[in-house]
């Protein structure tokens, strides 16, 4: 009798044990600011939705303005999880996230914030985040009408074989909202804006939008500074 009861009890409890085990596994996928488990997730993360928008628009401003730009990316470093906040402000909030496969989700607090994600790993911390994004927008070599060779490789630009001091400007707070702005050093104006036109790219010289002396650029009608065609 006892043996029969024991077998019956074991059969009844087994689903509960499985439930407990699955709950434990689910809980183990949650990590928060300060947890040792974050060390395995260090790097740059971008939302799958945002990366898809970059592919659709082929433009940094196009993708940034098509979604909530404060929620498109995370970086995980030294036990902290930080949102990009449009690459304009600091973020000292403590967060928790859950991992499933190769994706992560930022957990909501049940009050003012809902779960965000999924995010996928964009690159490692020893890489340049701006370069990682620019490589998603433009790659390859092009010839300008001035016979210059412009090459974009892994987010870095060279012109006639010489590295150009140019990088993607992720913070759009003081910029005009068109194309893909590159912050350029040692040039007449601080920005080059890349605008895709079919198989070609146009390049506009531009200034901070807040500069009162700035001459506004309309990429549809203004004359580009350079026109780049696929080599």
């Amino acid at each position: 009798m006892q043996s029969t009861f024991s077998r019956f009890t074991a059969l009844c409890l087994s689903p509960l044990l499985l439930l407990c085990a699955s709950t434990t596994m689910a809980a183990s996928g949650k990590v928060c600011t300060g947890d040792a488990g974050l060390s395995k997730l260090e790097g740059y993360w971008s939302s799958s939705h945002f990366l898809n928008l970059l592919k659709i628009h082929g433009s940094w401003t196009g993708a940034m303005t098509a979604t909530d730009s404060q929620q498109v990316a995370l970086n995980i470093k030294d036990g902290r999880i930080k949102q990009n906040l449009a690459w304009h402000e600091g973020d000292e909030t403590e967060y928790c996230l859950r991992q499933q496969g190769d994706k992560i989700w930022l957990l909501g607090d049940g009050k003012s914030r809902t779960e965000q994600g999924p995010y996928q790993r964009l690159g490692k911390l020893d890489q340049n985040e701006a370069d990682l994004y620019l490589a998603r927008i433009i790659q390859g070599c092009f010839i300008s009408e001035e016979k210059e060779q412009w090459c974009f490789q892994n987010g870095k630009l060279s012109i006639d074989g010489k590295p150009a001091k140019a990088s993607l400007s992720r913070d759009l707070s003081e910029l005009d909202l068109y194309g893909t702005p590159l912050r350029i050093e040692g040039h007449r104006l601080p920005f080059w804006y890349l605008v895709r036109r079919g198989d070609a790219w146009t390049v506009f010289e531009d200034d901070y939008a807040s500069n009162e002396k700035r001459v506004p650029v309309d990429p549809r009608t203004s004359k580009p500074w350079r026109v780049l065609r696929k080599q």
Side-chain angles (χ1 to χ4, degrees):
M1 185 71 177
Q2 179 65 31
S3 176
T4 301
F5 177 79
S6 298
R7 290 198 299 272
F8 177 76
T9 302
L11 288 172
C12 289
L13 287 178
S14 58
L16 295 177
L17 291 174
L18 289 172
L19 177 61
C20 290
S22 62
T23 303
T24 302
M25 290 174 64
S28 67
K30 177 181 176 181
V31 289
C32 300
T33 296
D35 289 350
L38 283 177
S39 62
K40 296 180 180 180
L41 299 175
E42 285 198 343
Y44 300 110
W45 295 77
S46 188
S47 77
S48 300
H49 175 62
F50 183 64
L51 293 179
N52 188 49
L53 287 175
L54 282 179
K55 184 177 181 180
I56 292 171
H57 291 273
S59 158
W60 183 254
T61 56
M64 287 278 279
T65 55
T67 187
D68 185 346
S69 61
Q70 295 212 352
Q71 299 181 4
V72 298
L74 307 171
N75 71 70
I76 301 174
K77 179 182 179 181
D78 297 333
R80 295 198 63 83
I81 306 162
K82 292 187 178 183
Q83 283 194 285
N84 69 296
L85 301 180
W87 288 278
H88 181 63
E89 299 177 1
D91 180 18
E92 297 302 324
T93 306
E94 293 191 356
Y95 295 104
C96 292
L97 56 82
R98 68 178 176 89
Q99 181 182 11
Q100 183 176 340
D102 59 354
K103 303 286 197 306
I104 60 175
W105 283 258
L106 199 66
L107 299 183
D109 57 14
K111 297 178 183 179
S112 59
R113 192 176 69 242
T114 58
E115 184 175 279
Q116 300 170 22
Y119 297 88
Q120 61 192 68
R121 197 189 295 270
L122 181 69
K124 300 178 180 179
L125 292 174
D126 60 0
Q127 296 176 285
N128 184 291
E129 187 182 19
D131 291 349
L132 293 170
Y133 280 113
L134 184 59
R136 297 266 179 160
I137 298 172
I138 183 171
Q139 282 273 75
C141 291
F142 304 82
I143 296 294
S144 72
E145 294 179 342
E146 289 73 20
K147 305 305 179 184
E148 301 164 324
Q149 184 187 57
W150 289 51
C151 288
F152 296 86
Q153 299 293 339
N154 300 320
K156 297 186 183 300
L157 168 64
S158 65
I159 300 176
D160 289 336
K162 298 179 180 179
K165 293 182 179 180
S167 61
L168 173 67
S169 183
R170 290 158 292 165
D171 182 359
L172 300 179
S173 59
E174 294 187 41
L175 304 185
D176 204 347
L177 299 181
Y178 71 94
T180 298
L182 302 184
R183 183 73 171 88
I184 179 73
E185 296 180 24
H187 198 66
R188 186 176 69 88
L189 290 174
F191 297 99
W192 288 339
Y193 280 72
L194 305 174
V195 178
R196 186 171 64 184
R197 288 184 181 171
D199 294 333
W201 290 81
T202 55
V203 184
F204 295 90
E205 296 180 299
D206 211 338
D207 206 340
Y208 286 99
S210 57
N211 188 338
E212 294 180 354
K213 295 181 179 180
R214 171 181 177 259
V215 178
V217 172
D218 184 337
R220 297 167 298 180
T221 58
S222 298
K223 183 179 179 179
W225 175 66
R226 290 287 189 275
V227 176
L228 310 176
R229 301 190 186 281
K230 191 68 176 178
Q231 187 171 356

